[in-house]
Amino acid sequence: SNKSKKNTVEIRAGRVASAINKSIQRTPTLHQTQSNNPSKQVKSSSQPFDKVKFANALNHNALSHSVGRCARYVRMALEAGGGNTARHPVGAKDYEPTLYQIGFQKVDMTNAYTPKQGDVVVFNSHKGHPYGHIAGYDGQQWISDFKQRQMNPYKGHPTVSYNIYRYPN
């Protein structure tokens, strides 16, 4: 009787281990999922960036107020425009390399600046906002995770440093 209980436990343990191993073998890694599923593949930065699709995605996804997810919402719009955001950062202030990877260029701010559809602004961090801020211009207004009233969303911090990036025509 004890021997049959021991065999039953061993068989059950063996089935569990086998099931776990099969589950692990069937669970693809993120890299495999991207390479095997065309709808989830990262788009090549050799494709031109579509500023209209970017602007439409900004507008479509915008919330009524900020939820502190500017980088996520702008990233989704960049991807909608065809941008390759592979290895994107978490913090908004760190988006410069990702924008360069897509093909954006830093705007020379020595002359008067007029925003154009598709422009992206990246604010550095400051007290109370350690991740900085990022927003895109849809042709009418600046949008991050919400529709902003002005480019700088920080109340009482008009001197926070920033850079503006533009995808060439």
Side-chain angles (χ1 to χ4, degrees):
S1 176
N2 281 341
K3 187 175 181 178
S4 67
K5 283 182 184 178
K6 183 179 176 185
N7 287 342
T8 302
V9 170
E10 287 175 359
I11 290 171
R12 286 185 185 152
R15 286 181 185 160
V16 169
S18 176
I20 289 170
N21 286 334
K22 285 179 184 177
S23 174
I24 290 169
Q25 290 170 356
R26 283 185 291 203
T27 305
T29 64
L30 181 59
H31 176 72
Q32 289 171 328
T33 300
Q34 288 180 340
S35 64
N36 294 333
N37 185 344
S39 68
K40 292 192 177 191
Q41 284 183 352
V42 176
K43 294 182 180 180
S44 167
S45 60
S46 64
Q47 297 175 350
F49 182 72
D50 190 324
K51 296 175 189 180
V52 173
K53 287 181 180 178
F54 170 72
N56 289 341
L58 284 170
N59 270 295
H60 177 76
N61 295 328
L63 305 171
S64 61
H65 63 282
S66 177
V67 293
R69 298 284 184 251
C70 61
R72 177 181 295 168
Y73 281 71
V74 172
R75 176 182 50 82
M76 291 186 310
L78 290 167
E79 290 170 354
N84 176 350
T85 64
R87 296 179 305 281
H88 65 82
V90 173
K93 68 180 177 59
D94 301 320
Y95 254 79
E96 183 176 271
T98 301
L99 293 169
Y100 285 148
Q101 173 180 300
I102 294 169
F104 280 78
Q105 298 170 353
K106 193 179 290 187
V107 174
D108 179 6
M109 298 299 287
T110 57
N111 301 316
Y113 169 71
T114 302
K116 291 185 178 180
Q117 184 181 53
D119 284 1
V120 176
V121 62
V122 177
F123 286 88
N124 291 320
S125 61
H126 71 93
K127 186 178 179 181
H129 298 277
Y131 296 106
H133 183 71
I134 188 169
Y137 193 72
D138 74 344
Q140 301 294 315
Q141 70 187 77
W142 291 96
I143 302 171
S144 53
D145 53 346
F146 71 107
K147 294 182 179 185
Q148 301 175 189
R149 294 188 179 141
Q150 57 193 20
M151 184 176 75
N152 184 347
Y154 298 134
K155 297 174 185 170
H157 298 281
T159 59
V160 176
S161 62
Y162 62 88
N163 287 305
I164 296 174
Y165 303 86
R166 179 173 289 157
Y167 191 84
N169 291 337

